[in-house]
Amino acid sequence: MRSVATYLAFSFVGALMACSQAGDANAPDTAPVDPVPTVIDLGVFGATGPVIGEDGTGELLLKRSGQSEPVSVQFQNGARSEFALAPGDYRITQIGELRCQGLDFSVDPQTDLRALGTVRAEIVKAKYYVALMAGHPAKLDEIAGLAEVRAIPADQVDARPISVTHHAPCSVHSQGPGQSWRDRPLGERIALGAAIAGFCAIALAAGGFCAF
């Protein structure tokens, strides 16, 4: 009888261990990663009606790779704004009502702070609101200042600039969402040439980028 009882006891313990191991197999491989503080100095000027509210704030919609729901963050026009983002690859899909393409950046889980630099957008209105974008990455003294405020090493600030891969990356029809400005006839786009040339000349002279 004792040998039978001993056998049953060991069998019961073995079954418990097997269940425990099966449960562990379904557990996440890694612990959740903390969001990373992310800062941007975004300023929009010109025909800002579709972008900036009366209080000077605006909204960015971000699409994180692998996620279906967009991330909404607020920014203060022409000033440094901060929000927390989970690590991953992002693209800016909207600035206010303007639909955007080709504005991409990533957030590295190994960094203590993500600095997206300064971006300026001159919004020109014809049949479409079109954002003429220019910007530059955070400067060394800006990076040092951000690190000092947070008491972190400056080399822990990721200061890679936003990637801009489309011409006139953000636009919307003046009557609301519709056909993209990039699909309009060449003559209609050339009508904005003077404003584009002047804005881009200033941006490039300051060592930044220009997309139109």
Side-chain angles (χ1 to χ4, degrees), residues 1 4-5 10 12 25 29 32 46 50 53 59 67 84 89 100 103 108 118 123 137 143 155 161:
M1 290 294 293
V4 173
F10 276 110
F12 181 71
D29 293 333
E59 179 187 33
Q67 301 295 317
D89 296 324
C100 301
L103 299 176
D108 189 334
T118 299
I123 301 178
I143 295 172
D155 60 5

Side-chain angles (χ1 to χ4, degrees), residues 19-113:
C19 290
S20 176
Q21 291 173 354
D24 290 343
N26 296 325
D29 293 333
T30 57
V33 180
D34 292 335
V36 177
T38 303
V39 296
I40 187 172
D41 184 348
L42 175 59
V44 291
F45 307 94
T48 60
V51 178
I52 300 299
E54 294 182 358
D55 60 353
T57 62
E59 179 187 33
L60 295 177
L61 283 186
L62 312 175
K63 178 67 169 61
R64 182 177 173 226
S65 179
Q67 301 295 317
S68 58
E69 292 298 321
V71 178
S72 172
V73 297
Q74 303 294 313
F75 70 92
Q76 185 67 34
N77 191 29
R80 186 178 295 156
S81 304
E82 179 175 331
F83 34 84
L85 295 177
D89 296 324
Y90 288 86
R91 55 187 173 90
I92 299 176
T93 59
Q94 283 186 227
I95 301 177
E97 296 180 15
L98 273 65
R99 273 60 173 174
C100 301
Q101 299 181 29
L103 299 176
D104 305 308
F105 65 94
S106 61
V107 176
D108 189 334
Q110 302 302 318
T111 190
D112 290 334
L113 180 70

